[in-house]
């Protein structure tokens, strides 16, 4: 059994590590522009029905995710800490990146939830859209949005970080994700990929609430995200 003092020391050490990672990955500037982004979006992106809030938020939040997370590792290079970073054990380096990604994704998810509420605050949308009304429907609609946006944020954040690590350049990660975003978040992408599109949630049929075929697109996002997590240690080991 662990001694209480030893356990307490370990907990304090973990808390200190987490606090340091939060300070590195969630700078004031990043937090400020993320919040500013959703405030402006909720003011200028017009909607009529509450059903449209998820559509209004998903694609822009994807952009925020891949720009927000692209420097998760490359900031070590930009700040000239990479040489010191390389002296750390590989397991410690990988765990540090994973912690930073989780911290950033949790923050972005909170911002996405705030953004959802801001649309109600600023635009007061009709909650009886598409013939569906009632508070229960609104609650279900929010939880569906929450699940979809969590997958979207995770996918784009992991992908941008992976590409940035591969090329050791955050702008390559952002640019590559932007190209993919333009392809998939378009009518052409919708026609080509259909329910398997990365933005299948945004292109779903609002008038048919029983149609959950858009989940296939989110399965694709989850699958690629899992592969990104699995491949990342190999890339860090090879690229340093």
């Amino acid at each position: 059994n662990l001694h209480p003092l030893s356990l307490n020391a370990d907990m304090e050490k973990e808390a200190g590590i987490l606090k340091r990672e939060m300070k590195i990955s969630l700078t004031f500037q990043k937090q400020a522009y993320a919040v500013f982004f959703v405030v402006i979006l909720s003011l200028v992106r017009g909607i009529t029905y509450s059903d449209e809030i998820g559509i209004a938020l998903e694609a822009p939040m994807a952009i925020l995710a891949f720009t927000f997370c692209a420097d998760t590792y490359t900031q070590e290079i930009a700040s000239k800490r990479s040489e010191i970073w390389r002296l750390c054990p590989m397991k410690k380096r990988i765990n540090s990146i994973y912690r930073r990604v989780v911290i950033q994704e949790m923050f972005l998810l909170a911002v996405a939830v705030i953004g959802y509420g801001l649309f109600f605050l600023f635009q007061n949308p009709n909650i009886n859209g598409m013939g569906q009304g009632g508070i229960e429907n609104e609650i279900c609609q929010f939880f569906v949005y929450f699940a979809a946006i969590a997958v979207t944020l995770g996918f784009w954040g992991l992908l941008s970080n992976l590409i940035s690590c591969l090329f050791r350049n955050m702008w390559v990660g952002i640019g590559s994700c932007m190209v993919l975003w333009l392809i998939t978040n378009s009518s052409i992408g919708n026609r080509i990929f259909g329910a398997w599109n990365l933005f299948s949630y945004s292109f779903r049929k609002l008038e048919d609430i029983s149609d959950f075929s858009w989940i296939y697109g989110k399965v694709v996002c989850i699958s690629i995200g899992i592969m990104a997590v699995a491949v990342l240690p190999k890339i860090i080991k090879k690229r340093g």
Side-chain angles (χ1 to χ4, degrees), residues 21 24 72 76 85 96-104:
E21 298 292 12
I24 294 173
T72 300
E76 299 292 340
W85 177 267
S96 178
I97 295 174
Y98 287 155
R99 274 194 297 267
R100 293 179 189 180
V101 170
V102 170
I103 289 169
Q104 292 175 116

Side-chain angles (χ1 to χ4, degrees), residues 1-30:
N1 295 329
L2 293 175
H3 192 279
L5 292 177
S6 177
L7 182 60
N8 186 55
D10 289 340
M11 291 177 64
E12 289 181 355
K13 182 179 179 181
E14 286 297 322
I17 293 174
L18 186 60
K19 185 177 180 180
R20 186 184 72 240
E21 298 292 12
M22 289 181 66
K23 185 177 180 180
I24 294 173
S25 58
L26 282 182
T27 62
F28 173 78
Q29 292 87 345
K30 293 178 77 171

Side-chain angles (χ1 to χ4, degrees), residues 94-116:
I94 297 301
N95 288 341
S96 178
I97 295 174
Y98 287 155
R99 274 194 297 267
R100 293 179 189 180
V101 170
V102 170
I103 289 169
Q104 292 175 116
E105 293 290 354
M106 293 298 291
F107 175 78
L108 289 173
L109 188 57
V111 170
V113 171
I114 292 171
Y116 195 93

